[in-house]
Amino acid sequence: MKNHFFLLFVFTVLLIGCKEPNKAKKDVVVQKPKTSFAIVLHGGAGSIKKSYFTDAQEKAYRDKLSEALDAGYAVLQNNGSALEAVQKTINVMENAPLFNAGKGAVLNNLGKVEMDASIMDGKTLNCGAVAGVSHIKHPINAARVVMDSSRHVFLYGDGAEVFAREKGVQLMDAQYFITPKRQEQLKRLQAKEAGKKIAYKMAIDKMKDHKYGTVGCVALDKNGNIAAGTSTGGLMNKKYGRIGDSPIVGAGTYANNQTCGISCTGTGEYFIRTLASHSVSDLMQYKNKNLLEAIKTTIGKIQKLGGDGGMIGLDNKGNIAWYFNTDGMFRAYQKSNGEKKIEMFKN
Ligand code: ASP
């Protein structure tokens, strides 16, 4: 009899025990997949003042910024990666002679185009860069193949071009990049440096002489991954062989899922000295600064040294920040909650 009671007891306990997991299952909160995403871009900082633009010229810039933003946003919306979004956005601006990247890049001292670009994956800290390239239609695409298909991080000059061609990146004749506007600007700048002055034909020419015009983008995709990229022709009338901050990871570009993604524009030499984009990430990680505070602190450091420019950034929660110490910066962002902004001037 005792045994029967014991067996009944054991049986009941087992029955209750078996029921428990089901009960527990009901209580499990199913984690919704992350769906928020965001993208931010810049098209260079500098003397960008409302009075330098006609309505039509301002519209042309705004339309192109919007087109570039839409290209990257569509990638994110369709579950694409942040890297892909950054690349697509930058490609639109590299195609546009309005900006100092790809077609319409500025000219060096010898009247030649020498372009730099870099891209970084915030998930893996993997990155790729090219510098001093003169024939690559989309230098950001070359940076991407260096990252994805080589064991290196940074290639320059002819070697970078040979590698890019091997990997199927499109090359162009050097003439493709050169526009009459840039030739005129170079002539004027060189005359100015020689003590001669050539009058500006239009107010917008004055603006272009003094702005930097690099392009950059940072994106956060639906999987919570951040990527950042920057592409540029560098500085007008730069010394041949000069490399700026844009292709230097940690200076002009940085991305880390733990903190943020950053792309810079301005006098590259100062952004290199301050390791500007990496400094923003460090200030967030080790000093608990928020994104905007970290950007402002870093631009402050640059300003103290005599440099100017700006930055765009995006943190791992999708917060967006930008800041510059110039008259203006071409900039735009869009978030998955519907927020969209396109700005050019100081507010
Ligand atoms: N930072 C770039 C460079 O120094 C220029 C720019 O931002 O327009 O090459």
Side-chain angles (χ1 to χ4, degrees):
M1 196 63 179
K2 243 183 181 179
N3 275 349
H4 280 121
F5 272 124
F6 179 67
L7 282 174
L8 197 69
F9 174 70
V10 170
F11 181 70
T12 313
V13 166
L14 279 176
L15 209 68
I16 293 168
C18 285
K19 280 241 167 269
E20 270 316 292
N22 282 342
K23 197 177 158 221
K25 248 187 217 161
K26 271 191 199 160
D27 294 340
V28 169
V29 181
V30 179
Q31 284 274 320
K32 269 204 210 151
K34 254 192 195 157
T35 51
S36 56
F37 53 92
I39 184 161
V40 57
L41 64 81
H42 72 78
S47 296
I48 302 165
K49 289 184 180 176
K50 178 103 182 140
S51 59
Y52 291 166
F53 294 81
T54 63
D55 288 351
Q57 285 159 344
E58 185 179 332
K59 185 176 178 318
Y61 275 97
R62 285 187 185 278
D63 286 353
K64 199 45 83 178
L65 293 170
S66 182
E67 185 189 329
L69 197 65
D70 290 350
Y73 189 82
V75 171
L76 299 173
Q77 202 166 30
N78 296 320
N79 308 318
S81 70
L83 281 167
E84 188 71 15
V86 163
Q87 225 179 313
K88 285 274 152 44
T89 292
I90 290 182
N91 285 169
V92 172
M93 294 193 279
E94 286 173 332
N95 282 341
L98 291 174
F99 304 104
N100 170 21
K103 189 173 180 65
V106 298
L107 306 174
N108 73 7
N109 209 249
L110 301 173
K112 205 181 148 201
V113 162
E114 285 182 337
M115 299 169 289
D116 306 331
S118 64
I119 194 161
M120 184 160 190
D121 178 358
K123 182 182 177 188
T124 57
L125 301 189
N126 213 352
C127 47
V130 294
V133 294
S134 303
H135 300 91
I136 297 178
K137 187 174 186 196
H138 294 294
I140 197 72
N141 295 1
R144 178 82 193 266
V145 294
V146 171
M147 176 175 103
D148 288 349
S149 312
S150 83
R151 60 192 171 91
H152 307 298
V153 159
F154 200 164
L155 299 182
Y156 84 98
D158 294 346
E161 295 194 347
V162 170
F163 178 76
R165 181 187 280 133
E166 277 171 14
K167 297 295 168 193
V169 174
Q170 193 176 0
L171 267 66
M172 306 297 281
D173 191 87
Q175 258 333 96
Y176 161 82
F177 301 92
I178 301 177
T179 63
K181 266 258 148 341
R182 295 299 188 201
Q183 286 173 316
E184 198 187 310
Q185 281 166 20
L186 180 66
K187 222 169 48 188
R188 196 164 41 230
L189 207 61
Q190 290 183 334
K192 200 164 143 192
E193 282 178 11
K196 289 179 236 153
K197 215 174 172 179
I198 301 180
Y200 293 104
K201 279 197 205 134
M202 291 185 292
I204 197 162
D205 293 334
K206 190 171 173 187
M207 180 279 285
K208 279 188 179 163
D209 279 1
H210 297 281
K211 87 177 179 67
Y212 300 109
T214 290
V215 307
C217 179
V218 186
L220 169 72
D221 64 29
K222 287 184 184 175
N223 291 319
N225 293 323
I226 300 176
T230 312
S231 180
T232 188
L235 297 179
M236 179 62 91
N237 201 28
K238 65 187 179 183
K239 267 270 176 280
Y240 36 86
R242 177 260 188 193
I243 294 172
D245 61 312
S246 308
I248 299 179
V249 168
T253 305
Y254 193 70
N256 184 341
N257 280 4
Q258 307 252 309
T259 52
C260 64
I262 295 286
S263 172
C264 305
T265 175
T267 327
E269 284 67 11
Y270 295 90
F271 287 76
I272 296 172
R273 285 183 213 164
T274 52
L275 282 176
S277 55
H278 191 263
S279 144
V280 173
S281 175
D282 272 357
L283 286 168
M284 291 178 72
Q285 193 163 8
Y286 304 117
K287 294 274 182 189
N288 285 322
K289 297 227 185 237
N290 68 36
L291 180 65
L292 182 61
E293 287 166 353
I295 288 180
K296 280 186 171 175
T297 305
T298 306
I299 293 284
K301 259 196 271 178
I302 287 167
Q303 183 156 334
K304 247 193 200 150
L305 294 174
D308 58 357
M311 286 186 191
I312 53 162
L314 195 160
D315 71 16
N316 54 15
K317 289 175 196 68
N319 297 306
I320 284 170
W322 52 41
Y323 191 69
F324 49 92
N325 67 349
T326 51
D327 290 327
M329 178 166 78
F330 297 115
R331 59 203 189 277
Y333 75 77
Q334 189 165 5
K335 291 183 177 185
S336 51
N337 67 7
E339 251 181 82
K340 182 174 179 177
K341 214 175 232 179
I342 300 175
E343 291 187 0
M344 293 168 55
F345 314 113
K346 231 180 216 159
N347 295 323

